[in-house]
Amino acid sequence: MIDPSAASVVPTTDPSTYLPAQQITGDLNDQLLQSDFWTDEMVAAAGIPIVDIPFVTIGGGIGSFVTLDYLRIAGVPTSQMRVLSTLDFAWQTYEYLTRVSQVPRPERIRSDSASRPDNIWGFPSYGFAEGVRKLDPKVLWGLFSEPIFADYYTPKAGNVFEQLEREAKRIGYDERLVKGLVRIVRRRYGGGYFTILTPPEGASATKRVAFRSQYVHVAVGYPGLKFLPELQRYRTENNDYRHIVNAYEAHEHVYERLVQHPSTVLVRGGGIVASRILQRLMDDREKFGAQTNIVHLFRTYITGTNDGYGNEADPRPGGGRTRVFMRRRGGNGWAYQGFNYPKSVWGGQLKAQVRQLEGEQRAELYKRMGGTNTPWRKSWQRQMNQGRREGWYNCVVGTVDDMQPNGERIVNQIRTAQGVVPVEVDFVIDCTGLEADIAEHRLLKDLLEHGGASRNPVGRLNVDRNFELIGTTSGTGAMYASGATTLGGYFPGVDTFLGLQVAAQEIYGDLAKRGFCKRLGPVRSTTQWWKWLAGSAP
């Protein structure tokens, strides 16, 4: 790990030319905060040490990891790249989110067998490797026969994390990790960028450290969670954060209570997270004898084939003709789809189509292929059918008008087609998956206000086909972005393992044209694959 306190300060003129001596604290000042472009002298005058590194990636999650993996395999030395992050390891946030949303290490995540963030070639796939390692012909047959005769293969979360750890050690990921928080990236006069890091307390002699680089990569993940208004209001007014929880926050206490005491829980949402929460609740009934009654609230109830809007028949002119091949199956309230997006977004006709669309046309296509959905799985279909028969799993279609406490319970006033219906429960688990606006993330907000960045047709960061942030060019320098913050760009499926790898491939290709790294031709690619297989450094 790099010690920011060891950074060398770029020689400059007398700082007192810019600021009184007592203000030189190694911190941001008004001049820096208000300027869209910074000079070396402005940074040094504020007493902020400057570290020269050609490439920095901000975020330190799986998006940063796969981008650095590509560049390392393409010949970029460890000394030329740094990861600026508050995380200890790249999969830390993802593992936390999967665990609290009821996908612990032994369970399988929603990812394709060949989507390997630890392996840019995708071979051997997770499924093939598991089948061979365990000598399990059932796994191999499933890969061959999916999805007609078998459910899609998906890897176990624990295996994904173990393989990421192996690759992190192979490429020396920890050697490039600099701990700290990044809130500002500004363009530099003369080209390139200044990325301002706030190191952990005591890690640096100054409050901030500036990384001066030619290239910057932003991969900060989701801006944050956003509760529905009535949920947030209830939690705030009643100071109740135990009975109303989001599926993406720690809430194991809910399941512990449900096992101990017969209770009723309201589950809100109709996507993959809702299906995992339901499976956990139903598993606890089977394994521990929990007497849990489940009320499942759908806003839109699907009864058959549908599109990304939740429509089972497109009422718009020409809708039925143009969208007959863009429908997913559905039933019992759910829209079923193997993965977040149709598989052709990663390398088929949808990928090619989106790449050619602009503005509202692109936004329209995103709506068609998006929408809330979940994979069809035999196990929890059986559990839901049992719950319907025995009366402990019931669905309600509508929206919540109001929520009020009744002792230790919560009364939800649900507006349905038949009128307002009161539903009293012990717990509410919100699985609606609402995301905060990108402007609620301080770094992204600063890029929009001072960095030249803009929004795409669906409101996220506007990137070109190489994932360069449009409007942020600084001389010969370039700023890239990948992950969920770029959803709505020229490539769909950005917030998936394979999507992050596609973005990394595009970024690597652009950097290779700029001369920053080598091209991965057939010979180098084959040689590097053998090194990957052997676990030796690139």
Side-chain angles (χ1 to χ4, degrees), residues 341-363:
Y341 288 92
K343 293 189 78 172
S344 62
V345 305
W346 291 286
Q349 69 271 30
L350 280 177
K351 180 184 178 183
Q353 185 178 359
V354 174
R355 203 170 176 87
Q356 302 302 319
L357 295 178
E358 302 289 347
E360 289 304 315
Q361 287 184 318
R362 197 186 332 146

Side-chain angles (χ1 to χ4, degrees), residues 490-529:
Y490 293 102
F491 171 74
V494 290
D495 54 341
T496 64
F497 284 167
L498 191 54
L500 291 171
Q501 287 184 292
V502 170
Q505 186 177 49
E506 297 287 356
I507 293 168
Y508 135 76
D510 193 57
L511 289 171
K513 292 177 185 176
R514 296 170 183 264
F516 181 64
C517 58
K518 299 175 183 177
R519 289 191 173 277
L520 284 172
V523 174
R524 183 173 184 83
S525 182
T526 302
T527 303
Q528 289 295 323
W529 182 82

Side-chain angles (χ1 to χ4, degrees), residues 330-345:
N332 295 317
W334 304 91
Y336 297 121
Q337 186 167 282
F339 303 103
N340 300 50
Y341 288 92
K343 293 189 78 172
S344 62
V345 305

